[in-house]
Amino acid sequence: MTEEFEPKIVGFLCNWCSYAGADLAGVSRIQYPPNLRIIRVMCSGRVDPAFILEAFISGADGVLIAGCHPGDCHYIAGNYKAQRRGILLKKLLEQFGVEPQRLRIEFVSASEGAKFAVVVKEMVEDIKKLGPSPLKARVEVEGLIHA
Amino acid sequence: MEAKQSVLIIGGGIAGIQASLDLASRGMKVYLVEKTPSIGGRMSQLDKTFPTMDCSMCILAPKMIECFRHPNITLLTYAEVQEVKGSAGNFRVKILKKPRFVDLEKCTGCGECAQHCPVEVPNEFDMGLGVRKAIYVPFPQAVPLKYTIDDENCVKCRLCQRMCKAGAINYDQPPETIDLNVGAIIVATGFELFDAQTRSEYGYGKYQNVLTSLEFERLLSASGPTGGHLLRLSDGRIPRRIAFIQCVGSRSLKGGVSYCSSACCVYATKEGVLIREHNPECEVYVFYNDLKVFGKGFQEFVNRAKNEWGVKYVRALPGEVVEDPKTGDLTIWYEDTTENVTKSMKADIVVLCPALVPRVTSKELAGILGLELDEFGFMKSRDPLFAPVDTNLPGIYICGYCQGPKDIPESVAQASGAAARAAEAIVAAGKEAH
Amino acid sequence: MEQNEKETPRIGVFICHCGINIGGIVNVLEVVEYAKTLPDVVYAEDNLYTCSSDGLNKIKEGIAKYNLNRVIVASCTPRTHEPLFRATCEEAGVNKYLFEMANIREHCSWAHMHEHERATEKAKDIVRMAVAKARLLQPQTEPEIDVTPSALVIGGGISGMTAALCLADQGFKVSLVEKEPELGGMLRNLNKLYPTMQDASKSLEHFIKAVKSNKSIDVFTSTAVKEVKGFIGNFKVTLQKGNSETPNLDIGTIVVATGATILEPVGMYGYGKHENVITQLQLERLLKEGQLKKPEKVVMIQCVGSREEKGRTYCSRVCCMTALKNAMLIRELYPETDVYLLYRDLQTYGHHYEHHHREAQEKGIRFIKYVLEKPPEVSAGKNGKLEVNVYHALLGEPIKIESDLVVLSTPLIQHEDAKELSKMLKVPLGSDGFFFEAHVKLRPIEFATDGIFVCGTAHSPKDTAESVSQAFGVASRAAIPMALKRLRTEAVTALVDEDLCSGCRICEAVCEYSAIEMQEKEGKLTSKVLEALCKGCGTCGASCPTGAITMRHFTDNQLIAQVRAAPQVAKEVAKHD
Amino acid sequence: MAYEPRIVAFLCNWCSYMGANLAGTSRISYPPNIRIIRVMCSGRVDPIFVISAFEAGADGVLVCGCHPGDCHYVSGNLKAEKRIETTRKLVKLLGLGPERLRLEWISTSEGGKFAEVVTDFTQKLRKIGPSPLKSEANPKAKASLNVQEVIKKAIAETNVRYCLECGKCSGSCPISRLNEAYSPRRTVEKFLIGLENKVLPTADLWTCLTCFTCTERCPSDVKYPYFIRACRRVAPVDVKEELCAHRGIPMALSRIMTNPKIKQERMDWLPDGAEISEKGDLLYFVGCAPYLDVYFEDFNLGLIKIPQSVVKILDKVGIKPVILRNEKCCGHDLLWTGDFENFEKLAKVNAADFKETGAKKIVTACPEGYRTFKEDYPKFLENFDFEVLHISELLSELIDKGELKFDTKIARKVVYHDPCRLGRHMGVYEPPRKVLASLPGTELVEMERNRQNALCCGVSSWLSCNRYSKGVQIDRLREAKATGADLLVTACHKCQIHWKCVTSEKLPVDPGEVTMEMRDLSVLVAEALKLA
């Protein structure tokens, strides 16, 4: 099929800031490409590395984790922990041959609808450049797809 | 709900919200009256809050929604207190509910009406910098998320009525009077800005690039008229230098109020830091007299602003601001009192920090309630030392800025204080009854 | 609660047009048809406004007609509408935690208004993800705990006494603990109180009498808190008087009102070297006892040991007003005495204090601003006088004052023993040494740990009026759980699989709410969640190496199911079935 | 004892002084009434020498120089001739009699002529009789005051004690901007911490323009100009005299007028046919126009047109104003230069004369007089209860009543300058604008800084006329010019004098940027009524 590659991105958004930010983007009718699939978590600290790997294995071309700005975390410091894990995880992904740019960690506050849209736009463009996730290819070849 | 167990709270800002939640969550019935179409008050207009730089709306919105959802809280927005009779334990209150011309039950807040409304008017929420329609919600996170037709500007084209699938528009909606019976009353009517135009030497209202701090707050806000892009309104240019002027009308024995508004030094610092975040190229100068850093973490915040963010402080209240009519650039004349030299500085935007003053309407409200005001129009405490939230009348309590200058945490703590006193009064009334 | 697992999910999906907000962009009917193809979906329909009362009835009818045990509404954001739909489900007998929301407005139709087809595809994906999670949803109950209607107030100063009295008058029992033999705290040292200039000791008498005579208040003087166990509503507190230990108190909520003390400026400006260099507090006492001999020239120095570049950086808030007050008292006492006030920035905030400043100006107090870089110098001068040299920053000139009394304004600082208390209560101290509240802006007088509150100068320097204000506030916050008697706690909490738990304590370390404690079970150390304290953020779950911890309502398999559903392409999935 | 005139004579060193010597060596006798002061050239004789001689009680003043053409300094004597002419006019206005001032050419060889001149002058003065100023004690003498007390009182009364040292005053002060050394804030602060001696003997005390810009803006309501005025009263006089422009002639004239015996001849300006009354409801206070018109005649400002216009306008609406033929100075300049004693004397005399006429209303075309009568007299005198109007107020009243009809089109773009005394001192901003706006054909434009923010014309009370004040003047003219207007209207004589003065000197800027046609409000109105 000749149609342009449209990456699938899985986004983990914390309930208190980033999810609200995404809401605001919508409310303010700020347009961004429809490639993101949002999963709401109470706190970005909840995002287990396993979820992220799972996303890639399931065929995601990119993963976004968005949490409150430092200091804003509804749970005091969950967002820091997410941040720290993210950095480690990028290294890990490289081991798997997944470009670290496919994982993006962002602070998006409830008032940053515009920023949220920008983040998604950028990510979609970046990943379009990278092409489909190598992991996805492998997964399909090795037939590890979850029924 | 019997009168003794219910409380009337006047003012839907952060203080009124906190008092409402405190009382409601302990099982008391609360009527929260707000004269605008949405609760949220001043705090909802702020971009960030000092000294933590919390996003204001992020931390406020959940509380607003909690108020809306709480089974013990009845929101009476777009409403005003008309008459109060009776005494502690048993007040009889008349509330005037102004017509929204929109059926609260039917309106789903989808916004289709506003999308098609042809009338654009300056948006109060953005301090008039942005525009809204004649049918509007004050801001996207408004609570309740219900639309209101502002009668003055509506041209009755009925487009909204045609667009509204829910059939919520009702041009014939009459004003409504509600009778309440409450055991206690809490007043939390907050503040407004001193009219910066009275200090004509700064050219506010005459020069487009001279703004008040609240206008500037909206200009900084991601949800503001420029979507958080820091631009000059006169020509859309990116500012290279922004100057803040403190004490515009405050600490003034003439042409203003004699007290210190208490928040300006630090919120100017906050806005200064935000500017540097937006655009590190843009210089920030804060012209002050005494830097008021008395609050928890304030001095540390100012130190960070100086050392980490490069916000510059000049001990001087400028004499005047003059615009170059060709460029719209502003020249500030001042004496640097620590360098002992009088000089001028060019700036792209000048932000005035006007005195924060009690609501003009508080006089009228005090009249209705029978409360005493002090010389500035603040609600008077029974004893400024040991009964700060009590008034001359038992059963009526005050909190937040309407009681005197304070910042958000002080307002929140005091709101809880007023709630405690209201609860006490109700417990006492209960005892008498038995 | 696990018994529902067997029950096969019967999912109903209600998709909202939201007028034309969704319907105008997303092909809702196509989504409805798609939803019907998804596993365990037994019913799907579209509504003009699902949130309208008519829409809500449709949900109830659906539940009854197709005996649905899972409900999905695909419309707007759960942040505003979830509670409404949850309530509807409960009314129709479906546990509210079996409701899931798919946000196809804010996150879809509004964000992709010009791409109808792809928006529709995305809407389908979002619905599919919701279904994936809904299939695994479990009903939850919000556990309730009892609350002992009795408060512990630590500290018998003006804050503690105010809080105690207010709590007592709200009908609660109060135990007031003061480590000194007398109630009163800092006020016992003070002379007059600004702004009203009333007599500190007179006001204090009145309060102490009120506290002692209040039947609901037990006063423990010369007493310290020895141990605190348990959690909100159910604290067990041990007090110690001398070396006799009192029996445990059952406490519902705790108020920390331990106050602050004043910095002793040893070695600063010749304090300790010249006996006519004293602190503002010593002057206060001299004035109180009428012991101040007539000085010719008094010099007061502000910010002594506060607002420093490093170290004690904070402003102590009360010193400027205290100095102004005492300067005026001296001028009233001895009108010929010149009083110089050497300040950095006058903290005459609020609507009373600037007025005092003006009064001081009328009384001829001489104000001289100095800067941190060039602090004043105090040295021995001629015939027993002191020579104060200060660089007058606003004249740019050095000024020399022959003074016979130098008064140092030193800041309020935290008590030494505060550290122990903070450990005992598991509540933090800030870098300034004062107790650190849960949220600087909106939770200023409570700790992150439920049921423990703070007020007065234990929280940060403040004057009497401000401490009293906070004390009343605390009296409300601390009363709420006691007034409710029973407390509903989070249903969305952490859940430990004790077999998998290796007792590594990582979760204990990462939890900000001290909601995890370790327990011995069959000789094995495992972590245990104190549900009353858990807020359900899930940080512990994410950091658990063995995957022993998961979250209710946001379980690993629920989230992973969503993750797996996310990247698939609707068309293909549709083909599968 | 019989009256013997005292003559003060200024003799030039090269001719007349030698002539006097010759008279002596040749034993030619002449009356001993003369006291000789040697000057290098008669051109050196400044009007203030003459006026001071009269103020000090001289009955006559004689100025002698070389014959035209013989001047050792080419033409000093001709300059003297012109200057003496002007001075004589002033002497005439003062009513001393022009013949009391005499100019003579006496060469080295004319000992005889010298003796004749002295003899003749002495006889003439014997006939005229003694100068009315003679008897008076030196009016310069001032009451001795307790400096500390005066300052303490001023600090309290002018709110200086409330200073927050924010520097808003200095940031507003037109002079501080140009003169780094000057700061109202620092001046105040020195007084507040007991360092007044660092100010009192210095020029700082005489630098303030008393323009009220700082007063207008001070958040602590510090009335700095009043404070300065009070301090000037107890400051050393010599510093002041050094800093007074025109060698202090204006103050000298004012002081002279405190003398009750003075009978001025100041009514020559009255237009033919204009009727004025002795008694009546409305008194028009002319002010210094006649003197200024003479003293600054070289500027050709036609200042005398101002009272003439006023009288004509009043006549047009049928008002025959009372005008005092021996009207005294209002005392404004004395008051603001700290000479309270002589100010009070003038105030008393004026108040008495006003009452005489039975007037209820006092109208003036001079902001200083206006301010002084409305603001200061009531504070210094008991029951000074007149309604005081500035001409612009009266005019706009008349326009409201429709009593003024303008038949001439004044097709000009006009910019109005707010004189400090009229504007910030008294809050009269709108009446002048209203008058201008109602002139047919005029387009009224505003300067960037107008009304309460208007910039001062640069000098007040003839004090501290220096490069800084010139800077202010140029700045203001630039601002006026920048509006694109072609006529600069003010309502104060002195604004015009100061601007004319600065533009007639060598300018630091291109004259095109600042030179502008100027007009007084009343004169322009008269023109619009075809009365000019």
Side-chain angles (χ1 to χ4, degrees), chain C residues 340 343 354 357-359 361-363 366-368 392 394-395 397 399, chain D residues 161-165 185-186 189-195 198 219-220:
Chain C
Y340 293 80
Y343 69 100
E354 186 60 24
H357 176 208
R358 301 301 194 172
E359 257 180 55
Q361 290 179 309
E362 285 164 6
K363 289 200 160 57
R366 293 178 165 179
F367 294 86
I368 295 181
H392 192 311
L394 301 182
L395 279 183
E397 303 173 6
I399 305 276
Chain D
R161 58 185 177 177
Y162 291 130
C163 176
L164 291 182
E165 293 193 76
R185 175 188 64 83
R186 291 209 295 284
E189 173 62 6
K190 284 175 189 152
F191 279 99
L192 281 176
I193 61 169
L195 302 176
K198 287 195 170 186
S220 295

Side-chain angles (χ1 to χ4, degrees), chain A residues 56-76:
Chain A
F56 281 113
I57 293 166
S58 316
D61 301 294
V63 173
L64 168 67
I65 301 171
C68 311
H69 282 265
D72 293 7
C73 180
H74 189 77
Y75 302 108
I76 304 166

Side-chain angles (χ1 to χ4, degrees), chain A residues 37, chain C residues 102-104 107-108 122-130:
Chain A
R37 301 294 174 264
Chain C
N103 184 348
I104 59 169
H107 293 182
C108 189
K122 182 175 180 178
K124 289 178 186 170
D125 291 0
I126 294 172
V127 170
R128 181 176 68 247
M129 289 162 69

Side-chain angles (χ1 to χ4, degrees), chain C residues 382-548:
Chain C
K382 292 174 220 63
N383 43 52
K385 285 194 182 299
L386 294 160
E387 185 181 306
V388 181
N389 285 288
V390 55
Y391 173 78
H392 192 311
L394 301 182
L395 279 183
E397 303 173 6
I399 305 276
K400 182 168 131 192
I401 309 162
E402 287 288 328
S403 157
D404 41 13
L405 181 64
V406 170
V407 186
L408 307 180
S409 295
T410 60
L412 286 162
I413 56 171
Q414 183 56 276
H415 290 289
E416 270 311 311
D417 51 14
K419 288 189 191 61
E420 296 143 52
L421 188 61
S422 89
K423 283 203 194 65
M424 199 185 305
L425 296 171
K426 297 216 206 62
V427 296
L429 294 171
S431 54
D432 55 8
F434 291 94
F435 281 98
F436 191 67
E437 60 271 40
H439 188 282
V440 176
K441 276 316 209 197
L442 295 187
R443 296 176 68 192
I445 50 177
E446 56 204 84
F447 291 104
T449 314
D450 284 351
I452 309 183
F453 308 87
V454 63
C455 66
T457 50
H459 162 273
S460 69
K462 47 181 75 63
D463 60 30
T464 311
E466 293 154 352
S467 301
V468 168
S469 238
Q470 267 197 345
F472 281 122
V474 152
S476 169
R477 304 301 295 158
I480 291 168
M482 299 195 288
L484 291 173
K485 297 187 181 63
R486 288 179 69 70
L487 215 54
R488 270 190 159 207
T489 62
E490 257 314 324
V492 179
T493 52
L495 193 61
V496 181
D497 180 333
E498 287 171 2
D499 304 337
L500 287 179
C501 178
S502 66
C504 70
R505 317 194 86 151
I506 292 175
C507 50
E508 186 189 20
V510 296
C511 180
E512 298 285 348
Y513 300 92
S514 353
I516 292 185
E517 65 182 22
M518 305 310 289
Q519 61 177 5
E520 284 283 332
K521 253 200 177 165
E522 302 95 42
K524 180 166 175 268
L525 190 69
T526 58
S527 54
K528 170 162 168 286
V529 177
L530 304 172
E531 295 199 337
L533 297 185
C534 178
K535 292 273 169 296
C537 65
T539 305
C540 53
S543 53
C544 176
T546 62

